[in-house]
């Protein structure tokens, strides 16, 4: 099992996420996770894990969807409702 799969499993399985140190160590052994990654997992060090895996932080943003064609009266509203009700999702 690769590290990403192990971390996904850990995030989805409350028993593994909240496991005692010995149980976590056994799961790390079974998954054949390398020592530096094990250390970061045990320390719950997200920044170190990101650095070791070459991954950046993941986040999502919701923001109002702006309609550029809309001008003048009724600004911010159309048949779909107020602009606040229409959101655009951006994931990085």
């Amino acid at each position: 099992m690769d590290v990403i799969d192990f971390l996904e499993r850990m995030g989805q399985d409350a028993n593994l996420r909240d496991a005692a140190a010995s149980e976590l160590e056994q799961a790390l052994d079974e998954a054949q996770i390398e020592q530096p990654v094990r250390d970061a997992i045990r320390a719950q060090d997200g920044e170190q894990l990101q650095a070791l895996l070459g991954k950046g932080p993941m986040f999502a943003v919701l923001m109002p969807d702006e309609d550029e064609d809309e001008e003048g009266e009724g600004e911010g509203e159309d048949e779909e409702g107020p602009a606040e009700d229409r959101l655009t999702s951006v994931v990085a």
Side-chain angles (χ1 to χ4, degrees):
M1 174 182 296
D2 75 352
V3 176
I4 300 298
D5 290 338
F6 180 81
L7 293 173
E8 285 177 358
R9 181 176 149 222
M10 191 173 182
Q12 295 171 355
D13 183 349
N15 292 325
L16 182 56
R17 186 176 54 246
D18 300 329
S22 61
E23 293 170 339
L24 178 59
E25 199 60 39
Q26 181 179 356
L28 290 166
D29 284 341
E30 290 172 6
Q32 300 178 345
I33 303 299
E34 297 175 5
Q35 192 60 45
V37 177
R38 287 175 183 239
D39 294 340
I41 290 171
R42 277 193 228 104
Q44 298 180 354
D45 188 342
E47 289 181 22
Q48 182 65 23
L49 275 172
Q50 288 174 357
L52 289 168
L53 300 175
K55 306 286 183 187
M58 297 293 292
F59 63 93
V61 177
L62 291 176
M63 52 191 165
D65 183 20
E66 296 182 32
D67 189 357
E68 294 180 18
D69 296 333
E70 221 175 281
E71 292 181 20
E73 62 186 57
E75 193 169 330
E77 293 188 21
D78 61 11
E79 57 276 355
E80 293 180 29
E84 302 85 45
D85 293 342
R86 298 184 320 271
L87 298 176
T88 299
S89 175
V90 177
V91 178

